[in-house]
Each structure stands twice: as C-alpha cells, then as structure tokens.
Amino acid sequence: MDVILLERVGKLGQMGDVVRVKDGYARNFLLPRGKALRATADNKSKFEGMKAELQARNLELKGAADVIASKLDGKTIVVIRQASEAGALFGSVSTRDIAGLLNADGADVNRSQVVLNAPIKTIGQYKVPLALHPDVETVVTVIVARSAGEAERVARGEDVTVRREQAEEDAAAALEAAEAFFEPEAAKALHESEEPEAETTAEGDADQSKSAKSAKSKKKNTETSESSD
C-alpha cells in the first residue's frame, strides 16, 4: 500500500514522503495512529492543504519532547519485584510499568513511547530507549531488583544472581574443603585413641606372661619338694 507520511517515521521517510508499506503495517499502525494517509489523489491534495499546520504542530510537539528528554536524560528508575535466587522474576516488567514509574516522578510518557522489544523477566540493569517524538529520543536506566539494597548493588555492577550450577559447584567445593580440613584431625584423633588401647594390650600380655612364669616356677618348686620327700 502507498501512503503519505504525516510525520517522520524511522526507516520510512520524512513528512510528505509517499512510501510503499505492507498493508497490515499501514492498517494496524500508520493509519490508525495518524502517522500517514492513503496515497490517493484526494489525500495528496488534502495533505498540501494541511502541510503548514502539520509542520507547526510537529515543531510544537518536538519542543515539548525536548523538555521531557532533558529531564529524563540519564535518569535511573528502580523496579522492585519478587524473584528466584537465579534472578528470574515472578512476573515481568512491561512498558506500562516503566511509563507508570516515570509519570509518577513527574514525566509525561506514554507506554507506546517506551521502546522495549520484550518484557523484562530477570533481575538486572537495563538501558531502555524512549521515543518521545520522531526526532527526539533519550535513554533511561531501569534497575530491577528484589529490594532497595539489592538495587544499589546492581547499580555498582555486582552480580546478585546465583545460577543453579554455580550454587551446586560452590556447595561441592565447600564440602570438599570441609572434608580436607576435618579428615586429618579425625585421623589424628583416631590414631591417638587407638594408641592407649595398644599399650593396654601390651601391658596385659606382659602381665599374663609374668603370671605364667610365676605359676611355672611354683609348680617346679612343688615338684622338687615332693621329690626330696
């Protein structure tokens, strides 16, 4: 479908350009949002009559967008969400959420101006573009965390998520370290506990030997005495 652009549209053209686009894109986006008109003879004449008005309005909107952009440039917003230890959100952060937080802070941003290809679903720090006007864009930083304290850590660049594999590796390393620490001590204690028992056994053997010798000596003396009689 051929359309006349009523404002600059990225990758398509400037105001007044006649461009060919897919029918679905024209019907679902350009035409209902007032960004273009069908390129018919009547609409071409209509555009020429409204061109000056469109240009004036475009300058007005661009000025307002510049003011908002100056306020939001470099701004950081924090979104608190529940998440797993691995950082997966129990839900997501959408364009509506981001626009709502910006507006609550005094900005005038429509969710359609938040350029987010897909909802945010993990803990972290994100650079999110805002298309405030066809000729005005800015970027805000969105930090998604489980608490304000964690948000500060994320802002410092710390990794606050724990992957399952990493957690298992850490647990195994800790167990191995504990075994390496305790095993020599356990062996030493076992060795020490066995030594007295060995000594006792040796002493017992010596006593038994002495008893046997004494009994043998007594028997010999008795035999000698009887022989003398």
Side-chain angles (χ1 to χ4, degrees):
M1 180 188 298
D2 290 338
V3 297
I4 308 168
L5 297 180
L6 301 181
E7 61 181 47
R8 189 184 76 81
V9 178
K11 299 181 181 180
L12 282 184
Q14 302 294 327
M15 179 189 298
D17 289 348
V18 176
V19 296
R20 172 160 292 184
V21 297
K22 292 183 178 180
D23 290 356
Y25 182 55
R27 293 194 184 100
N28 299 325
F29 181 73
L30 295 176
L31 299 180
R33 297 198 179 190
K35 295 179 179 293
L37 292 173
R38 290 175 180 271
T40 63
D42 289 343
N43 283 339
K44 289 179 181 179
S45 298
K46 180 179 179 180
F47 171 77
E48 290 301 326
M50 61 190 299
K51 184 176 181 179
E53 181 182 347
L54 289 173
Q55 290 175 336
R57 175 162 176 74
N58 180 65
L59 288 174
E60 180 182 347
L61 293 175
K62 183 177 181 299
D66 283 331
V67 172
I68 296 173
S70 64
K71 292 180 179 179
L72 297 179
D73 186 38
K75 185 177 182 59
T76 298
I77 60 174
V78 176
V79 183
I80 304 299
R81 288 287 189 274
Q82 292 184 336
S84 68
E85 290 186 359
L89 300 184
F90 301 144
S92 64
V93 177
S94 65
T95 57
R96 183 189 298 275
D97 297 320
I98 295 172
L101 288 170
L102 292 172
N103 291 333
D105 199 30
D108 184 11
V109 177
N110 189 290
R111 60 178 296 190
S112 64
Q113 296 174 319
V114 180
V115 184
L116 199 62
N117 294 327
I120 298 172
K121 295 185 177 182
T122 56
I123 295 292
Q125 182 171 265
Y126 302 87
K127 297 293 184 182
V128 179
L130 301 177
L132 304 175
H133 180 271
D135 296 314
V136 180
E137 290 188 1
T138 191
V139 176
V140 296
T141 300
V142 178
I143 295 178
V144 183
R146 287 164 285 208
S147 65
E150 186 176 75
E152 293 178 359
R153 293 173 57 197
V154 172
R156 292 196 296 266
E158 296 183 28
D159 184 3
V160 298
T161 61
V162 179
R163 301 189 307 275
R164 181 179 298 276
E165 296 83 358
Q166 185 62 45
E168 292 175 350
E169 290 175 5
D170 291 345
L175 179 59
E176 184 177 350
E179 290 176 347
F181 178 79
F182 286 112
E183 280 184 354
E185 298 297 325
K188 181 179 179 181
L190 179 61
H191 180 68
E192 291 176 350
S193 66
E194 289 176 347
E195 285 180 352
E197 184 179 348
E199 291 175 358
T200 302
T201 303
E203 291 175 356
D205 292 343
D207 291 342
Q208 289 179 2
S209 177
K210 288 180 181 179
S211 298
K213 287 181 180 180
S214 178
K216 186 175 182 182
S217 176
K218 288 180 178 179
K219 182 178 180 182
K220 184 177 181 180
N221 291 337
T222 301
E223 290 174 352
T224 302
S225 176
E226 291 176 351
S227 175
S228 297
D229 293 342

